[in-house]
Amino acid sequence: MERQNGKEKGYADIFFLLKCLLLSYVLTAAWLVLLSLLLYKLRLPEQIVSAAVAVIYAAAVFPAGFLAGRRMKNRKFLWGAAVGLAFFGVMVLISLAVNHGIKGIDTRFFSTLVLCTAGGMLGGMLS
C-alpha cells in the first residue's frame, strides 16, 4: 500500500510541474503579445526588444520555479532549475519543429538557457 501512495504522489508532483510549465508559457505568451503591441506603437529599437524578450523569459519562469520549490520542499533551487531547463527544452523543441532543424547556435541560445535556468532557480530559492 505504501508503494502505491508513493507512486501516486510522484504522478501528482509531475502533473503539478507540468501545470507550472503551462503557467510559464501562458505568462510568456501574454507578455510577448504586450511587447509586440509596444513595438508596434512605439517603434522600439531591436536592442530594447531583445533585452525585453530575455527579461520576459526569466520573469515567466520565476513563478513556476517558485511554485515548484514551494511544493517540493527539499532542494527547492534544483526543482526551480529543473522547471527552467524544461521550459527551455520545450522552447528548443518547438523552435526545431518550426525551423525544420538547427540553423546555427549563437550566443542567444546559451544566454537564454542560462536565463531560463537562473529564473527558475531563483524562484525555487525564494520559495
Side-chain angles (χ1 to χ4, degrees):
M1 189 76 165
E2 180 94 16
R3 260 189 157 156
Q4 187 68 19
N5 288 338
K7 196 180 240 186
E8 288 175 6
K9 184 181 181 320
Y11 290 139
D13 288 342
I14 290 171
F15 187 67
F16 182 78
L17 292 175
L18 289 175
K19 283 199 253 184
C20 289
L21 277 177
L22 181 62
L23 170 69
S24 290
Y25 285 114
V26 168
L27 289 174
T28 301
W31 290 338
L32 286 176
V33 167
L34 180 64
L35 179 63
S36 67
L37 290 173
L38 289 173
L39 176 64
Y40 177 72
K41 289 290 185 185
L42 303 176
R43 309 235 186 255
L44 299 172
E46 184 179 344
Q47 291 175 339
I48 292 177
V49 173
S50 295
V53 168
V55 169
I56 286 172
Y57 287 156
V61 175
F62 178 84
F66 184 86
L67 292 173
R70 181 152 305 221
R71 170 79 177 242
M72 298 305 176
K73 297 197 177 17
N74 291 345
R75 298 183 179 165
K76 297 175 179 186
F77 68 98
L78 287 177
W79 286 107
V83 170
L85 283 172
F87 178 86
F88 178 77
V90 171
M91 280 195 334
V92 168
L93 290 175
I94 291 171
S95 178
L96 288 173
V98 169
N99 293 330
H100 304 293
I102 298 175
K103 299 223 189 303
I105 297 177
D106 58 357
T107 57
R108 285 182 288 175
F109 179 87
F110 294 110
S111 63
T112 304
L113 170 66
V114 169
L115 283 171
C116 291
T117 305
M121 186 183 293
L122 183 62
M125 289 168 60
L126 297 177
S127 66

